[in-house]
Coordinates of all heavy atoms in Angstrom, one line a residue:
M190 N 112.3 101.8 64.9 CA 112.0 101.8 66.4 C 112.4 100.5 67.0 O 112.2 99.4 66.4 CB 110.5 102.0 66.6 CG 110.2 102.6 68.0 SD 108.4 102.8 68.2 CE 108.0 101.4 69.1
K191 N 113.1 100.5 68.1 CA 113.6 99.3 68.8 C 112.4 98.7 69.6 O 111.7 99.4 70.3 CB 114.7 99.7 69.7 CG 116.0 98.9 69.4 CD 117.1 99.3 70.4 CE 117.5 98.1 71.2 NZ 118.5 98.4 72.2
T192 N 112.4 97.3 69.5 CA 111.4 96.6 70.3 C 111.9 96.5 71.7 O 113.0 96.0 72.0 CB 111.1 95.2 69.7 OG1 111.0 95.3 68.3 CG2 109.9 94.5 70.3
P193 N 111.0 96.9 72.7 CA 111.5 96.7 74.1 C 111.8 95.2 74.4 O 111.1 94.3 73.9 CB 110.3 97.2 74.9 CG 109.5 98.0 74.0 CD 109.7 97.4 72.6
N194 N 112.8 95.0 75.2 CA 113.2 93.6 75.5 C 112.1 92.7 76.0 O 112.0 91.5 75.6 CB 114.4 93.7 76.5 CG 115.3 92.5 76.4 OD1 115.4 91.9 75.3 ND2 116.1 92.2 77.4
F195 N 111.3 93.2 77.0 CA 110.3 92.3 77.5 C 109.2 91.9 76.5 O 108.7 90.9 76.6 CB 109.7 92.9 78.8 CG 108.7 94.1 78.5 CD1 107.4 93.9 78.4 CD2 109.2 95.4 78.4 CE1 106.5 94.9 78.2 CE2 108.4 96.4 78.2 CZ 107.0 96.2 78.1
M196 N 109.0 92.8 75.6 CA 108.0 92.5 74.5 C 108.6 91.4 73.6 O 107.8 90.5 73.3 CB 107.8 93.8 73.6 CG 107.1 94.9 74.2 SD 105.3 94.6 74.3 CE 104.9 94.9 72.5
L197 N 109.8 91.4 73.4 CA 110.5 90.4 72.6 C 110.4 89.0 73.3 O 110.1 88.0 72.7 CB 112.0 90.8 72.3 CG 112.7 90.0 71.3 CD1 112.2 90.2 69.9 CD2 114.2 90.3 71.4
K198 N 110.7 89.1 74.6 CA 110.7 87.8 75.4 C 109.3 87.2 75.4 O 109.1 86.0 75.3 CB 111.2 88.1 76.8 CG 112.7 88.2 76.8 CD 113.2 88.5 78.2 CE 114.7 88.5 78.2 NZ 115.3 88.9 79.5
K199 N 108.2 88.1 75.6 CA 106.8 87.6 75.5 C 106.5 87.0 74.2 O 105.9 86.0 74.1 CB 105.9 88.8 75.8 CG 105.8 89.3 77.2 CD 104.7 88.6 78.0 CE 104.7 89.1 79.4 NZ 104.0 88.2 80.3
A200 N 107.1 87.6 73.1 CA 106.9 87.0 71.8 C 107.5 85.7 71.6 O 107.0 84.8 71.0 CB 107.4 88.0 70.8
V201 N 108.7 85.5 72.2 CA 109.4 84.3 72.2 C 108.6 83.2 72.9 O 108.4 82.1 72.3 CB 110.9 84.4 72.8 CG1 111.5 83.0 73.0 CG2 111.8 85.3 71.9
C202 N 108.1 83.5 74.0 CA 107.3 82.6 74.8 C 106.0 82.2 74.1 O 105.6 81.1 74.1 CB 106.9 83.2 76.2 SG 108.3 83.1 77.3
A203 N 105.4 83.2 73.4 CA 104.2 82.9 72.6 C 104.5 81.9 71.5 O 103.6 81.1 71.1 CB 103.7 84.2 72.0
V204 N 105.7 81.9 71.0 CA 106.0 81.0 69.8 C 106.6 79.7 70.3 O 106.0 78.6 69.9 CB 107.1 81.7 68.9 CG1 107.5 80.7 67.8 CG2 106.5 83.0 68.3
V205 N 107.6 79.7 71.2 CA 108.2 78.4 71.6 C 107.7 77.9 73.0 O 108.0 76.8 73.4 CB 109.7 78.5 71.7 CG1 110.3 78.9 70.3 CG2 110.2 79.5 72.7
G206 N 106.9 78.7 73.7 CA 106.4 78.3 75.0 C 107.2 78.7 76.1 O 108.4 79.0 75.9
H207 N 106.7 78.8 77.3 CA 107.4 79.3 78.5 C 108.4 78.2 78.9 O 108.2 77.0 78.7 CB 106.4 79.6 79.6 CG 105.5 80.7 79.3 ND1 105.9 82.0 79.3 CD2 104.2 80.7 79.1 CE1 104.8 82.7 79.0 NE2 103.8 82.0 78.9
R208 N 109.4 78.6 79.6 CA 110.4 77.7 80.2 C 110.4 77.9 81.7 O 111.1 78.6 82.3 CB 111.8 78.0 79.7 CG 112.0 77.7 78.2 CD 113.3 78.3 77.6 NE 114.4 77.6 78.3 CZ 115.6 78.2 78.4 NH1 115.8 79.5 78.0 NH2 116.6 77.6 79.0
F209 N 109.4 77.1 82.3 CA 109.2 77.3 83.7 C 110.2 76.5 84.6 O 110.6 75.4 84.3 CB 107.8 76.8 84.1 CG 106.7 77.8 83.6 CD1 105.9 77.4 82.6 CD2 106.6 79.0 84.2 CE1 104.9 78.3 82.2 CE2 105.7 79.9 83.7 CZ 104.8 79.5 82.7
V210 N 110.7 77.2 85.6 CA 111.5 76.5 86.6 C 110.8 76.8 88.0 O 110.1 77.7 88.2 CB 112.9 77.1 86.7 CG1 113.7 76.7 85.5 CG2 112.9 78.6 86.9
V211 N 111.1 75.9 88.9 CA 110.5 76.0 90.3 C 111.1 77.2 91.0 O 112.3 77.3 91.1 CB 110.7 74.7 91.1 CG1 110.3 74.9 92.5 CG2 110.0 73.5 90.5
S212 N 110.2 78.1 91.4 CA 110.7 79.3 92.1 C 110.5 79.2 93.6 O 111.3 79.7 94.4 CB 110.1 80.6 91.6 OG 108.7 80.5 91.8
K213 N 109.5 78.5 94.0 CA 109.2 78.3 95.4 C 108.4 77.0 95.7 O 107.4 76.8 95.0 CB 108.5 79.5 96.0 CG 108.7 79.8 97.4 CD 107.8 80.8 98.0 CE 108.2 82.2 97.9 NZ 107.2 83.2 98.4
K214 N 108.9 76.2 96.6 CA 108.1 75.0 97.0 C 107.2 75.4 98.2 O 107.8 75.8 99.3 CB 109.1 73.9 97.4 CG 108.5 72.6 97.4 CD 108.8 71.7 96.2 CE 108.2 70.3 96.4 NZ 107.2 70.0 95.5
I215 N 105.9 75.3 98.1 CA 105.0 75.7 99.1 C 104.7 74.6 100.1 O 105.0 74.6 101.2 CB 103.7 76.3 98.6 CG1 104.0 77.5 97.6 CG2 102.8 76.8 99.7 CD1 104.7 78.7 98.2
T216 N 104.1 73.5 99.5 CA 103.9 72.3 100.2 C 104.3 71.1 99.3 O 104.8 71.4 98.2 CB 102.4 72.1 100.6 OG1 101.7 71.8 99.4 CG2 101.8 73.3 101.3
S217 N 104.0 69.9 99.7 CA 104.4 68.8 98.9 C 103.5 68.8 97.6 O 103.9 68.1 96.6 CB 104.3 67.5 99.6 OG 103.0 67.4 100.2
H218 N 102.4 69.5 97.6 CA 101.5 69.5 96.5 C 101.5 70.8 95.7 O 101.1 70.8 94.6 CB 100.1 69.2 96.9 CG 99.9 67.9 97.6 ND1 99.8 67.7 98.9 CD2 99.8 66.6 97.0 CE1 99.7 66.4 99.2 NE2 99.7 65.7 98.1
I219 N 101.9 71.9 96.4 CA 101.8 73.2 95.8 C 103.2 73.8 95.5 O 104.0 73.8 96.4 CB 101.0 74.1 96.6 CG1 99.5 73.5 96.7 CG2 100.9 75.5 96.0 CD1 98.6 74.2 97.7
T220 N 103.5 74.2 94.3 CA 104.7 74.7 93.9 C 104.5 76.0 93.0 O 103.6 76.0 92.3 CB 105.5 73.7 93.0 OG1 105.5 72.5 93.7 CG2 107.0 74.1 92.8
E221 N 105.4 77.0 93.2 CA 105.3 78.2 92.4 C 106.4 78.0 91.3 O 107.5 77.6 91.6 CB 105.6 79.4 93.2 CG 104.4 79.8 94.1 CD 104.6 81.0 95.0 OE1 105.6 81.7 94.8 OE2 103.8 81.3 95.8
Y222 N 106.1 78.5 90.1 CA 107.0 78.4 89.0 C 107.2 79.8 88.4 O 106.3 80.6 88.4 CB 106.4 77.5 87.9 CG 106.2 76.1 88.3 CD1 105.0 75.7 88.8 CD2 107.2 75.1 88.2 CE1 104.8 74.4 89.2 CE2 107.0 73.8 88.5 CZ 105.8 73.4 89.0 OH 105.6 72.1 89.4
Q223 N 108.4 80.0 87.8 CA 108.6 81.2 87.1 C 109.2 80.9 85.7 O 110.1 80.0 85.6 CB 109.5 82.1 87.9 CG 109.6 83.5 87.2 CD 110.5 84.5 88.0 OE1 111.6 84.1 88.4 NE2 110.0 85.7 88.3
C224 N 108.8 81.6 84.7 CA 109.4 81.4 83.4 C 110.7 82.1 83.3 O 110.9 83.2 83.6 CB 108.4 82.0 82.3 SG 109.1 81.9 80.6
K225 N 111.7 81.3 82.8 CA 113.1 81.8 82.8 C 113.2 82.9 81.7 O 114.1 83.7 81.8 CB 114.1 80.7 82.4 CG 114.5 79.8 83.5 CD 115.2 78.6 83.1 CE 116.7 78.8 82.8 NZ 117.4 77.5 82.5
T226 N 112.3 82.9 80.8 CA 112.4 83.9 79.7 C 111.7 85.2 80.0 O 112.4 86.2 80.0 CB 111.9 83.3 78.4 OG1 112.5 82.0 78.2 CG2 112.2 84.1 77.2
C227 N 110.4 85.1 80.3 CA 109.7 86.4 80.4 C 109.3 86.7 81.9 O 108.7 87.7 82.2 CB 108.4 86.3 79.6 SG 107.1 85.2 80.2
K228 N 109.7 85.8 82.8 CA 109.5 86.0 84.3 C 108.1 86.0 84.7 O 107.8 86.4 85.9 CB 110.2 87.4 84.7 CG 111.6 87.5 84.3 CD 112.5 86.6 85.1 CE 114.0 86.7 84.6 NZ 114.8 85.6 85.0
C229 N 107.2 85.5 83.9 CA 105.8 85.4 84.4 C 105.7 84.2 85.4 O 106.6 83.3 85.3 CB 104.8 85.2 83.2 SG 104.9 83.6 82.4
E230 N 104.8 84.2 86.3 CA 104.7 83.3 87.4 C 103.4 82.4 87.4 O 102.4 83.0 87.1 CB 104.9 84.0 88.7 CG 106.3 84.5 88.9 CD 106.4 85.3 90.2 OE1 105.6 86.3 90.4 OE2 107.2 84.9 91.0
L231 N 103.6 81.2 87.7 CA 102.4 80.3 87.8 C 102.5 79.6 89.2 O 103.5 79.5 89.8 CB 102.4 79.2 86.8 CG 102.2 79.5 85.3 CD1 102.2 78.2 84.5 CD2 100.8 80.2 85.1
T232 N 101.3 79.1 89.6 CA 101.3 78.3 90.8 C 100.4 77.1 90.6 O 99.5 77.1 89.8 CB 100.8 79.1 92.1 OG1 100.8 78.2 93.2 CG2 99.4 79.6 91.9
T233 N 100.7 75.9 91.3 CA 99.8 74.8 91.3 C 98.7 75.1 92.4 O 99.1 75.7 93.4 CB 100.4 73.5 91.6 OG1 101.5 73.7 92.5 CG2 101.0 72.9 90.3
T234 N 97.5 74.8 92.1 CA 96.4 75.1 93.1 C 96.1 73.8 93.8 O 96.7 72.7 93.5 CB 95.1 75.6 92.3 OG1 94.7 74.5 91.5 CG2 95.4 76.8 91.5
E235 N 95.2 73.8 94.8 CA 94.9 72.6 95.6 C 94.2 71.6 94.7 O 94.2 70.4 95.1 CB 94.1 73.0 96.8 CG 92.7 73.5 96.5 CD 92.6 75.0 96.4 OE1 93.5 75.6 95.9 OE2 91.7 75.6 96.9
T236 N 93.7 72.0 93.6 CA 93.1 71.0 92.7 C 94.1 70.4 91.7 O 93.7 69.5 90.9 CB 91.9 71.7 91.9 OG1 92.4 72.8 91.2 CG2 90.8 72.0 92.7
G237 N 95.3 70.8 91.8 CA 96.4 70.2 91.0 C 96.6 70.9 89.6 O 97.3 70.5 88.8
H238 N 95.8 72.0 89.4 CA 95.9 72.7 88.1 C 96.9 73.8 88.2 O 97.2 74.3 89.3 CB 94.6 73.2 87.7 CG 93.6 72.1 87.3 ND1 92.7 71.6 88.1 CD2 93.5 71.5 86.1 CE1 92.0 70.7 87.5 NE2 92.5 70.6 86.3
L239 N 97.4 74.3 87.1 CA 98.3 75.4 87.1 C 97.5 76.7 86.9 O 96.6 76.7 86.1 CB 99.3 75.3 85.9 CG 100.5 74.4 86.2 CD1 101.3 74.2 85.0 CD2 101.4 75.0 87.3
D240 N 97.8 77.7 87.6 CA 97.1 79.0 87.5 C 98.1 80.1 87.6 O 99.2 80.0 88.1 CB 96.1 79.1 88.7 CG 94.8 79.9 88.3 OD1 94.9 80.7 87.4 OD2 93.8 79.7 89.0
I241 N 97.7 81.3 87.0 CA 98.6 82.4 87.1 C 98.7 82.9 88.5 O 97.7 82.9 89.2 CB 98.0 83.6 86.2 CG1 98.1 83.2 84.7 CG2 98.7 84.9 86.4 CD1 97.2 84.0 83.8
L242 N 100.0 83.2 88.9 CA 100.2 83.5 90.3 C 99.8 85.0 90.5 O 100.6 85.9 90.3 CB 101.7 83.3 90.6 CG 102.1 83.5 92.1 CD1 101.4 82.6 93.0 CD2 103.6 83.3 92.2
T243 N 98.6 85.2 91.0 CA 98.1 86.5 91.3 C 98.5 86.9 92.7 O 98.9 86.0 93.5 CB 96.6 86.5 91.3 OG1 96.1 85.5 92.2 CG2 96.0 86.2 89.9
P244 N 98.4 88.2 93.1 CA 98.8 88.6 94.5 C 97.9 87.8 95.5 O 98.4 87.5 96.6 CB 98.4 90.1 94.5 CG 98.6 90.5 93.1 CD 98.2 89.3 92.3
E245 N 96.7 87.4 95.1 CA 95.8 86.7 96.0 C 96.4 85.3 96.3 O 96.4 84.8 97.4 CB 94.4 86.6 95.4 CG 93.6 87.8 95.5 CD 93.9 88.8 94.4 OE1 94.6 88.5 93.4 OE2 93.5 90.0 94.5
W246 N 96.8 84.6 95.2 CA 97.4 83.3 95.3 C 98.7 83.4 96.1 O 98.9 82.5 96.9 CB 97.7 82.7 93.9 CG 96.6 82.0 93.3 CD1 96.0 82.2 92.1 CD2 95.9 80.9 93.9 NE1 95.0 81.4 91.9 CE2 94.9 80.5 92.9 CE3 96.0 80.1 95.0 CZ2 94.0 79.4 93.1 CZ3 95.1 79.1 95.3 CH2 94.1 78.7 94.3
K247 N 99.5 84.4 95.9 CA 100.7 84.6 96.7 C 100.4 84.6 98.2 O 101.1 84.0 99.0 CB 101.4 85.9 96.3 CG 102.5 85.6 95.3 CD 103.4 86.8 95.1 CE 104.6 86.4 94.1 NZ 105.3 87.5 93.6
E248 N 99.4 85.3 98.6 CA 99.0 85.4 100.0 C 98.6 84.1 100.5 O 99.0 83.6 101.6 CB 97.8 86.4 100.1 CG 98.0 87.4 101.2 CD 97.0 88.6 101.1 OE1 95.9 88.4 101.6 OE2 97.3 89.6 100.5
I249 N 97.7 83.4 99.7 CA 97.2 82.0 100.1 C 98.4 81.1 100.3 O 98.5 80.4 101.3 CB 96.2 81.5 99.1 CG1 94.9 82.3 99.1 CG2 95.9 80.0 99.3 CD1 94.0 82.1 97.9
N250 N 99.3 81.1 99.3 CA 100.5 80.2 99.3 C 101.4 80.5 100.5 O 102.0 79.6 101.2 CB 101.3 80.4 98.1 CG 100.7 79.6 96.9 OD1 99.7 78.9 97.1 ND2 101.2 79.8 95.7
E251 N 101.6 81.8 100.9 CA 102.4 82.1 102.0 C 101.8 81.6 103.3 O 102.6 81.0 104.2 CB 102.5 83.7 102.1 CG 103.8 84.2 101.6 CD 103.9 85.7 101.4 OE1 103.4 86.4 102.4 OE2 104.3 86.2 100.4
T252 N 100.5 81.7 103.4 CA 99.8 81.1 104.6 C 100.0 79.6 104.6 O 100.3 79.0 105.7 CB 98.3 81.5 104.6 OG1 98.2 82.9 104.4 CG2 97.6 81.1 105.9
L253 N 99.8 79.0 103.5 CA 99.9 77.5 103.4 C 101.3 77.1 103.8 O 101.5 76.1 104.5 CB 99.6 77.0 102.0 CG 98.1 77.0 101.6 CD1 97.9 76.7 100.2 CD2 97.3 76.0 102.5
A254 N 102.3 77.8 103.3 CA 103.7 77.5 103.5 C 104.0 77.5 105.0 O 104.7 76.7 105.5 CB 104.6 78.4 102.7
Q255 N 103.5 78.6 105.7 CA 103.7 78.7 107.1 C 103.1 77.5 107.9 O 103.7 77.0 108.8 CB 103.1 80.0 107.6 CG 104.0 81.2 107.4 CD 103.3 82.5 107.6 OE1 102.3 82.6 108.2 NE2 103.9 83.6 107.1
L256 N 101.8 77.2 107.5 CA 101.1 76.1 108.2 C 101.9 74.8 107.9 O 102.1 74.0 108.8 CB 99.7 75.9 107.6 CG 98.7 77.0 108.0 CD1 97.4 76.8 107.2 CD2 98.4 76.9 109.5
Y257 N 102.4 74.6 106.7 CA 103.1 73.4 106.3 C 104.4 73.3 107.1 O 104.7 72.2 107.6 CB 103.4 73.4 104.8 CG 104.0 72.2 104.3 CD1 103.2 71.0 104.1 CD2 105.3 72.1 103.9 CE1 103.8 69.9 103.6 CE2 105.9 71.0 103.4 CZ 105.1 69.8 103.3 OH 105.7 68.7 102.8
Q258 N 105.1 74.4 107.2 CA 106.4 74.4 107.9 C 106.2 74.1 109.4 O 107.0 73.4 110.0 CB 107.1 75.7 107.7 CG 107.9 75.7 106.4 CD 108.3 77.1 106.0 OE1 108.2 78.1 106.8 NE2 108.5 77.3 104.7
K259 N 105.1 74.7 110.0 CA 104.8 74.4 111.4 C 104.5 73.0 111.6 O 105.1 72.4 112.6 CB 103.6 75.3 111.8 CG 103.9 76.4 112.7 CD 102.6 77.1 113.1 CE 102.8 78.6 113.0 NZ 101.5 79.4 113.2
R260 N 103.7 72.4 110.8 CA 103.3 71.0 110.9 C 104.6 70.1 110.8 O 104.7 69.1 111.5 CB 102.3 70.6 109.9 CG 101.4 69.5 110.3 CD 100.3 69.2 109.3 NE 101.0 68.6 108.1 CZ 100.3 68.3 107.0 NH1 99.0 68.4 107.0 NH2 100.9 67.8 105.9
H261 N 105.4 70.5 109.8 CA 106.6 69.7 109.5 C 107.6 69.8 110.7 O 108.2 68.8 111.1 CB 107.3 70.3 108.3 CG 108.1 69.3 107.6 ND1 107.7 68.2 106.9 CD2 109.5 69.2 107.5 CE1 108.7 67.5 106.5 NE2 109.8 68.1 106.8
A262 N 107.7 71.0 111.3 CA 108.6 71.1 112.5 C 108.1 70.3 113.6 O 108.9 69.6 114.3 CB 108.6 72.6 112.9
V263 N 106.8 70.2 113.8 CA 106.2 69.4 114.9 C 106.5 67.9 114.7 O 106.9 67.2 115.5 CB 104.7 69.6 115.0 CG1 104.0 68.6 116.0 CG2 104.4 71.0 115.5
E264 N 106.4 67.5 113.4 CA 106.6 66.1 113.0 C 108.1 65.7 113.3 O 108.4 64.6 113.7 CB 106.3 65.9 111.5 CG 104.8 65.6 111.3 CD 104.5 65.6 109.8 OE1 105.4 65.7 109.0 OE2 103.3 65.6 109.6
Q265 N 109.0 66.7 113.0 CA 110.4 66.4 113.2 C 110.8 66.3 114.7 O 111.6 65.4 115.1 CB 111.2 67.5 112.6 CG 111.5 67.3 111.1 CD 112.3 68.4 110.5 OE1 112.4 69.5 111.0 NE2 112.9 68.1 109.4
V266 N 110.1 67.1 115.6 CA 110.3 67.0 117.0 C 109.8 65.7 117.5 O 110.4 65.0 118.3 CB 109.7 68.2 117.7 CG1 109.7 68.0 119.2 CG2 110.4 69.5 117.3
A267 N 108.6 65.3 117.1 CA 107.9 64.1 117.6 C 108.5 62.8 116.9 O 109.5 62.4 117.0 CB 106.4 64.1 117.3
Ligands
ZN864 ZN1 107.6 83.0 79.4

């Protein structure tokens, strides 16, 4: 029986660790990361810790990104 590809990738990550790259910059403190190997996602939280990027976090981050961009735009005009 052939091992499904994503199962193999998860196994690789379990052994050698994830290879995270920045997928989205939310604010100067909050960044979303994605593993290049298995595509799992993480986010930094307001406390500076890494957490699994749940749909709830995605929603929070989207709101934060909008607020951040708005504030940044105002700063650029002023
Ligand atoms: Zn991984």
